[in-house]
Amino acid sequence: MSVLRKVDRNAERWLLLVFYVMLVITMAIEVVRRELFAYSSIWGEEIVRYSFIYLAWIGAAAAVKERAHIRIDVIMHYLGPRPKALLYIFGDLVMFVVAIIALYWSFEAVHVSAKFGSVTDGLRVSKVWFLMAVPTGFALMIWRLLQSFRRDFNALRDGKPVFEGDKLFD
């Protein structure tokens, strides 16, 4: 398997793991520092906050990939394979348009932060790095939606059922 295929298959998983481990370790260190030494740092809170923001946006892209977003799918049980595929494609199309618009506007905050050179309070790092979580999440969502379109159109063309994601509850 090529490196690009491995990255495509597991990118969100790896990124989520990195940010989750960073969040948990930093939070544990800060709790120990606060309880044992009666001291805490502002940078620890910032790392946890920004790691959580990246977790949320990358997790949203991972949910698009796996079709795991919360949805009302009662009607899907009564539809045949072709109408079901068309409904999924329509839903992804709506999400695609929203993601394109959101990607465009999320760069505005990044641009303003870069223009004025804003930095975080504790880490004194450019806020651009942290504000990029939103456009990164939407760019990943757009990529996963494009893959979903291809997968659904191929299933529709071949007469196969569309990918519906894993069932959380039966």
Side-chain angles (χ1 to χ4, degrees):
M1 183 182 307
S2 73
V3 173
L4 288 177
R5 192 167 296 217
K6 284 183 183 179
V7 169
D8 182 53
R9 182 174 292 170
N10 297 308
E12 288 92 350
R13 258 188 233 169
W14 294 335
L15 289 170
L16 288 172
L17 178 65
V18 166
F19 286 111
Y20 187 71
V21 167
M22 192 170 20
L23 182 146
V24 169
I25 288 173
T26 305
M27 194 179 304
I29 289 170
E30 286 302 304
V31 166
V32 168
R33 288 175 71 181
R34 186 172 294 149
E35 295 302 319
L36 293 181
F37 304 113
Y39 174 77
S40 66
S41 64
I42 193 168
W43 61 264
E45 185 268 335
E46 282 185 357
I47 288 175
V48 170
R49 179 184 335 140
Y50 295 127
S51 294
F52 185 75
I53 291 168
Y54 267 97
L55 272 172
W57 287 104
I58 294 169
V64 167
K65 178 183 174 189
E66 298 295 327
R67 276 213 168 116
H69 278 286
I70 295 173
R71 62 183 176 266
I72 300 171
D73 61 353
V74 174
I75 195 167
M76 297 296 217
H77 300 294
Y78 300 107
L79 296 176
R82 187 167 179 81
K84 189 182 289 190
L86 293 172
L87 200 55
Y88 273 120
I89 289 170
F90 175 73
D92 285 349
L93 189 60
V94 170
M95 189 183 298
F96 184 77
V97 170
V98 169
I100 292 282
I101 293 167
L103 177 66
Y104 174 80
W105 286 106
S106 65
F107 274 117
E108 181 67 23
V110 175
H111 174 71
V112 168
S113 179
K115 181 179 175 181
F116 292 107
S118 61
V119 295
T120 63
D121 296 325
L123 294 171
R124 307 304 295 167
V125 175
S126 174
K127 282 189 178 179
V128 167
W129 295 105
F130 305 113
L131 293 171
M132 278 301 293
V134 180
T136 299
F138 279 116
L140 281 170
M141 279 186 229
I142 290 167
W143 175 248
R144 295 308 182 184
L145 284 165
L146 290 171
Q147 290 176 329
S148 179
F149 287 137
R150 191 179 102 230
R151 181 183 58 212
D152 291 347
F153 283 125
N154 287 340
L156 192 60
R157 181 193 66 215
D158 298 340
K160 296 179 181 175
V162 292
F163 175 72
E164 295 186 57
D166 294 326
K167 300 276 191 260
L168 185 59
F169 301 107
D170 284 328

